[in-house]
Amino acid sequence: MTKRALLSVSDKQGLTEFASGLVALDYELVSTGGTKKALEAAGIPVIGIETVTGFPEMLDGRVKTLHPKVHAGLLARRDLPDHMAQLKAAGITPIDMVVVNLYPFKATIQQPDVTQAAAIEQIDIGGPSMLRSAAKNFAAVLPIVDPADYQPILTALQTDAVTPTLRQRLAAKVFQHTAAYDALIAQYLTTDEFPAKLTLTYDKKQALRYGENSHQQAAFYENALPTPFSITAAHQLHGKELSYNNIKDADAALRMVSEYQRPAVVAMKHMNPCGVGLGDTLESAWDKAYAADSISIFGGIIALNRPVDVATAEKMHQLFLEIIIAPSFDDAAYAVLAEKKNLRLLTVDFDQAHTADQFETISVGGGLLRQEVDQAFEQPADFTVVTKQQPTPAQLAALAFGQQVVKHIKSNAMVVTTADRTLGVGSGQMNRIDSTKIAIEKAMSKSGYENAILASDAFFPMDDCVAYAAQHGIRAIIQPGGSIKDQASIAMADRYGIAMVTTGVRHFRH
């Protein structure tokens, strides 16, 4: 018995080969517009949709397939005699397969300066309607939305291997596709950053070997509209496949290093910077980041905001590192680093840093949180000096650098820095005094400690952190302020004759 297939595609890839295979399997083909022309040009017999519906397309093609003779043919249950009798009475032929891919809305809105009118014309109505009808009735109708499925479907038809499982998989793929398509449209038209219905859609970039631990399965997804400056957009030049933990650390490192204008190097471990250095050259920035914590940097992720030169590469080559991210690698630098077969070398277009995501989502059990990315950066002009001792110009520069670093450290976060390097990082402790002790203990033996400052991501609930810092040689502190016990911390700073500034901006990171 002859079966009927309806084909209407924007992407003509593999169309004629698939259609020829269907004809060979005794399918009668029905088609629309450009698809029909492509099939006719290939000499493939095809019936125009207007012959089926008895109604010409109208409204510049906006209405072609929205007709009972199409949708009844798709939705009729073959196992219900009443449905089949209604089709016969109405002179409607059942449709057994729908092959549709949709107007290129995504590609359209990615074009520079595209108008809303042009985007709206690429919102497909008839295509999703046919796909949804076919997918709802997948027990009887094969819904095909992906050209990659053409050959597997032909093979299954030729070998009588079209199973209920295959049909359900194709239906699920259709609903995933149309849901993602509608989500993009909703995102494009939505102006509220926190709408009542949040419709996000992602494309699977790669399966991962495992998740955070080897017993956890995982995959990596990217925004359906790719973000040019992101780890998802990074180009891997060399090394092993990225792991789940690699991706998280690399993302944190890239976000941080992109904030600096001078040559900068960030060494990241477990989502915390263990070393940050600025310099007049990339090599000098590396030297400072390495000296900040030469133990923790082992096995770290390194992000640099300048092309990697051979001198810097040779120093990095001496260590075991997981990933190096940079705008590019000089040929000689790449040759040195590529000697380590597992070292992952990634490039990201730093000229696109302005395109970085403005919002971030965090999953929680049963839902997610959405917030603006913390892009606040307080300069000395934003500081309020709250102590009798005034900070020196050199201290102000160090305080600004420390403030920029501390917001990237897990709370409770404390960091000891000079104006161009971290000396000690205290992160993730359940109380602030422990983070303070860790940061200072790490910093005290480092060169430059005599000029060091202490930065805090949140206010001091007590004066113990100030006292400990002053007793261990810290001469200037930066913190948000806002505690009901601010005055106690200020008085403690005055007691030891050290400078303290507040910013009014907290930088918790959880």
Side-chain angles (χ1 to χ4, degrees):
M1 177 179 169
T2 299
K3 291 182 176 291
R4 174 171 279 189
L6 197 162
L7 296 82
S8 181
V9 298
S10 293
D11 181 358
K12 305 296 191 293
Q13 173 190 349
L15 171 67
T16 56
E17 295 84 355
F18 184 55
S20 296
L22 293 178
V23 170
L25 290 167
D26 203 26
Y27 272 80
E28 177 183 66
L29 306 186
V30 177
S31 193
T32 65
T35 306
K36 179 173 177 286
K37 290 178 181 178
L39 295 175
E40 289 174 334
I44 298 170
V46 60
I47 301 170
I49 191 68
E50 65 279 1
T51 301
V52 171
T53 63
F55 201 92
E57 69 174 61
M58 60 185 298
L59 304 180
D60 300 320
R62 284 189 170 202
V63 178
K64 293 191 287 261
T65 59
L66 297 170
H67 196 282
K69 288 197 172 181
V70 172
H71 288 275
L74 291 170
L75 286 165
R77 285 181 55 178
R78 285 24 171 199
D79 61 336
L80 293 181
D82 183 55
H83 279 203
M84 301 311 291
Q86 289 182 58
L87 289 190
K88 185 175 181 180
I92 298 174
T93 301
I95 299 171
D96 306 287
M97 178 188 296
V98 163
V99 183
V100 171
N101 48 64
L102 307 179
Y103 292 173
F105 180 79
K106 175 178 173 179
T108 299
I109 62 175
Q110 287 180 298
Q111 296 171 6
D113 303 321
V114 65
T115 65
Q116 187 182 82
I120 287 173
E121 284 307 309
Q122 293 302 318
I123 297 176
D124 203 327
I125 302 300
S129 298
M130 289 188 290
L131 283 170
R132 289 173 61 85
S133 291
K136 176 175 180 174
N137 201 21
F138 69 85
V141 183
L142 284 174
I144 304 171
V145 72
D146 185 355
D149 288 325
Y150 291 171
Q151 188 54 53
I153 293 299
L154 277 180
T155 300
L157 290 168
Q158 291 162 352
T159 58
D160 196 26
V162 179
T163 64
T165 299
L166 173 60
R167 288 179 176 276
Q168 182 173 323
R169 181 180 67 80
L170 291 172
K173 194 169 190 176
V174 161
F175 285 117
Q176 291 165 4
H177 189 80
T178 57
Y181 190 81
D182 285 343
L184 275 183
I185 297 167
Q187 287 178 36
Y188 178 75
L189 296 175
T190 298
T191 57
D192 184 356
E193 299 293 357
F194 301 98
K197 299 290 185 183
L198 182 62
T199 54
L200 303 177
T201 181
Y202 298 88
D203 296 327
K204 188 175 182 179
K205 184 175 177 67
Q206 69 184 82
L208 300 175
R209 287 171 293 157
Y210 52 83
E212 201 160 11
N213 300 289
S214 60
H215 61 277
Q216 296 171 269
Q217 295 184 4
F220 185 25
Y221 290 82
E222 66 178 326
N223 292 335
L225 292 176
T227 304
F229 187 76
S230 64
I231 287 302
T232 58
H235 179 53
Q236 185 167 349
L237 306 179
H238 180 75
K240 292 196 302 184
E241 183 180 279
L242 292 174
S243 72
Y244 179 96
N245 292 329
N246 288 158
I247 292 165
K248 291 190 70 176
D249 281 337
D251 174 66
L254 182 63
R255 289 185 188 214
M256 187 172 188
V257 81
S258 67
E259 292 191 351
Y260 300 108
Q261 301 303 311
R262 295 177 62 192
V265 174
V266 170
M268 192 69 61
K269 284 289 290 289
H270 302 296
M271 301 289 289
N272 282 302
C274 60
V276 183
L278 307 181
D280 294 328
T281 66
L282 196 64
E283 183 183 5
S284 66
W286 161 262
D287 290 342
K288 294 168 188 175
Y290 172 75
D293 193 337
S294 60
I295 295 175
S296 297
I297 200 171
F298 181 85
I301 280 73
I302 308 301
L304 313 95
N305 66 353
R306 295 290 192 277
V308 177
D309 56 84
V310 68
T312 307
E314 286 174 342
K315 290 183 175 181
M316 290 191 290
H317 180 67
Q318 297 172 24
L319 300 177
F320 167 65
L321 300 171
E322 289 276 0
I323 302 173
I324 300 174
I325 314 163
S328 63
F329 296 83
D330 295 352
D331 289 345
Y334 177 83
V336 168
L337 295 170
E339 290 176 4
K340 294 190 173 183
K341 67 177 183 178
N342 291 331
L343 175 60
R344 303 158 180 91
L345 303 178
L346 277 61
T347 58
V348 177
D349 186 358
F350 275 68
D351 290 337
Q352 295 294 319
H354 64 282
T355 70
D357 292 334
Q358 302 299 301
F359 289 82
E360 59 187 1
T361 57
I362 305 296
S363 63
V364 296
L368 57 81
L369 297 168
R370 178 174 171 85
Q371 69 170 355
E372 290 181 304
V373 173
D374 185 357
Q375 296 178 320
F377 174 37
E378 295 77 49
Q379 301 278 6
D382 304 310
F383 301 165
T384 299
V385 180
V386 293
T387 51
K388 296 174 184 176
Q389 180 67 39
Q390 296 289 310
T392 67
Q395 287 173 334
L396 284 173
L399 292 167
F401 177 68
Q403 179 75 349
Q404 194 169 12
V405 169
V406 80
K407 75 176 188 178
H408 293 278
I409 300 169
K410 294 287 187 178
S411 302
N412 288 303
M414 304 294 292
V415 62
V416 177
T417 78
T418 66
D420 59 5
R421 73 193 75 183
T422 56
L423 301 180
V425 174
S427 64
Q429 300 304 302
M430 282 61 74
N431 62 72
R432 196 157 296 280
I433 185 61
D434 281 350
S435 289
T436 300
K437 290 177 179 179
I438 290 169
I440 290 175
E441 180 182 350
K442 286 177 172 289
M444 288 181 65
S445 62
K446 307 283 175 54
S447 173
Y449 182 71
E450 65 278 7
N451 299 313
I453 64 88
L454 178 69
S456 174
D457 68 335
F459 64 61
F460 296 121
M462 300 179 185
D463 62 9
D464 51 354
C465 294
V466 178
Y468 188 89
Q471 291 162 6
H472 290 81
I474 295 295
R475 305 308 302 161
I477 296 174
I478 185 168
Q479 54 118 344
S483 169
I484 60 174
K485 295 186 177 181
D486 270 353
Q487 194 54 48
S489 293
I490 294 168
M492 185 63 69
D494 283 337
R495 174 181 170 183
Y496 283 96
I498 65 176
M500 180 186 290
V501 304
T502 59
T503 64
V505 181
R506 189 182 71 185
H507 288 292
F508 271 165
R509 186 163 183 80
H510 290 94

